[in-house]
């Protein structure tokens, strides 16, 4: 089933809107496609195309990091934070880490078509937010790529409401004391270009969502930009 609008979008490579990195950014230096680490949830296969917003050409060799919460709303590194209570969604380093877990985090290098692919689970939610996945794109050079700090773009990717409703009815996501915000209720979605950051989502199975989803989008970046959302000095913070 296709959960995306039936009206096709014209292919125009504009600069994708940036959004905050939030307090749960880490730099675990994990280059891997499958980031699930056995976490329970509905499978999600995600493909991102990274393009140069100035030329429309694919960006080859960019390091694309993603991170998101599990089905119950917890982030690795902060697994002991209660996801049913709202926290300060501010800057990197605002919340002390509670553990060294690394589930649902990882990076891939874009290929010569600008593509990266991840295998993960459909994220859950935590209090005060809609469902989303964080993304950071680093421009790399030389051999010491895992130490690269040139972050060109930081954003969040959102999900169509119809797909999300079907996922939240699954047993792995049910039984919470709070409800997620809709996209339109989410402050960051509404005020930081969330509509332009919504994934196209398709169910993999013909008659059920249990087989999982395929999601994709194109991210337009300025390869010469230096993001203010993850700065070079943020990599030195004790929480990272």
């Amino acid at each position: 089933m296709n959960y995306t609008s039936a009206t096709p979008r014209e292919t125009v490579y504009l600069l994708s809107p940036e959004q905050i990195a939030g307090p749960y950014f880490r730099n675990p230096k994990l280059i891997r496609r499958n980031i699930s680490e056995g976490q329970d949830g509905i499978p999600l296969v995600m493909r991102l195309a990274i393009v140069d917003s100035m030329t429309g050409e694919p960006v080859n060799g960019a390091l694309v990091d993603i991170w998101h919460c599990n089905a119950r709303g917890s982030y690795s590194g902060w697994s002991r934070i209660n996801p049913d209570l709202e926290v300060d969604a501010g800057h990197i380093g605002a919340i002390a880490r509670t553990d060294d877990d690394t589930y649902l985090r990882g990076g891939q290098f874009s290929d010569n078509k600008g593509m990266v692919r991840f295998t993960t689970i459909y994220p859950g939610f935590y209090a005060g937010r809609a469902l989303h996945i964080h993304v950071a794109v680093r421009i790399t050079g030389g051999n010491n790529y895992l130490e690269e700090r040139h972050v060109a773009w930081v954003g969040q990717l959102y999900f169509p409401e119809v797909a999300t409703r079907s996922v939240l009815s699954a047993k792995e996501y049910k039984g919470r004391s709070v409800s997620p915000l809709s996209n339109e209720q989410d402050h960051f979605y509404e005020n930081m270009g969330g509509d332009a950051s919504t994934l196209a989502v398709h169910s993999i199975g013909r008659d059920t969502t249990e087989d999982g989803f395929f999601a994709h989008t194109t991210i337009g970046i300025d390869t010469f930009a230096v993001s203010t959302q993850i700065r070079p000095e943020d990599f030195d913070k004790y929480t990272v």
Side-chain angles (χ1 to χ4, degrees):
M1 181 179 294
N2 181 357
Y3 292 92
T4 308
S5 170
T7 303
R9 295 181 181 176
E10 183 181 357
T11 302
V12 178
Y13 299 120
L14 301 176
L15 183 65
S16 296
E18 281 205 298
Q19 297 201 17
I20 66 167
Y24 300 124
F25 168 74
R26 287 181 62 193
N27 182 32
K29 303 178 183 179
L30 295 172
I31 305 302
R32 57 184 182 177
R33 177 172 178 172
N34 190 332
I35 66 171
S36 59
E37 289 192 15
Q39 287 287 306
D40 292 333
I42 301 297
L44 177 69
V45 176
M46 186 167 67
R47 185 187 70 204
L48 305 177
I50 313 300
V51 301
D52 187 322
S53 62
M54 301 294 290
T55 66
E57 294 297 316
V59 178
N60 185 15
L63 177 52
V64 182
D65 288 297
I66 71 169
W67 66 101
H68 64 85
C69 68
N70 65 12
R72 309 303 296 175
S74 294
Y75 281 87
S76 60
W78 289 265
S79 299
R80 297 185 181 91
I81 300 293
N82 185 349
D84 290 350
L85 300 177
E86 287 197 42
V87 300
D88 178 9
H91 59 276
I92 295 168
I95 303 173
R97 271 174 51 192
T98 65
D99 56 82
D100 293 323
D101 293 343
T102 57
Y103 58 81
L104 306 178
R105 298 179 182 274
Q108 285 279 287
F109 289 98
S110 58
D111 62 20
N112 59 8
K113 295 182 179 179
M115 299 288 188
V116 293
R117 298 164 180 83
F118 292 97
T119 300
T120 182
I121 63 168
Y122 204 106
F125 68 93
Y126 51 99
R129 289 302 314 274
L131 282 69
H132 61 279
I133 291 178
H134 294 271
V135 184
V137 181
R138 281 186 266 178
I139 304 303
T140 62
N143 295 322
N144 200 20
Y145 52 83
L146 288 179
E147 300 301 327
E148 180 57 64
R149 299 183 177 200
H150 176 194
V151 180
W153 186 87
V154 177
Q156 298 182 32
L157 304 178
Y158 297 87
F159 293 84
E161 300 285 4
V162 175
T164 290
R165 284 195 294 271
S166 68
V167 167
L168 294 182
S169 65
K171 64 181 185 301
E172 296 91 344
Y173 300 82
K174 294 171 66 174
R176 301 284 298 280
S177 63
V178 294
S179 298
L181 298 185
S182 68
N183 289 339
E184 288 72 20
Q185 292 172 326
D186 188 286
H187 169 80
F188 300 105
Y189 178 94
E190 277 293 285
N191 294 284
M192 301 186 81
D195 183 59
S197 302
T198 302
L199 291 156
V201 175
H202 314 269
S203 59
I204 294 174
R206 182 182 297 272
D207 301 315
T208 177
T209 61
E210 293 181 0
D211 293 331
F213 292 88
F214 171 66
H216 61 95
T217 194
T218 297
I219 297 173
I221 70 168
D222 178 353
T223 59
F224 295 100
V226 177
S227 177
T228 60
Q229 304 301 325
I230 300 178
R231 300 165 298 176
E233 57 267 31
D234 287 328
F235 288 87
D236 294 323
K237 292 182 176 178
Y238 71 97
T239 60
V240 178

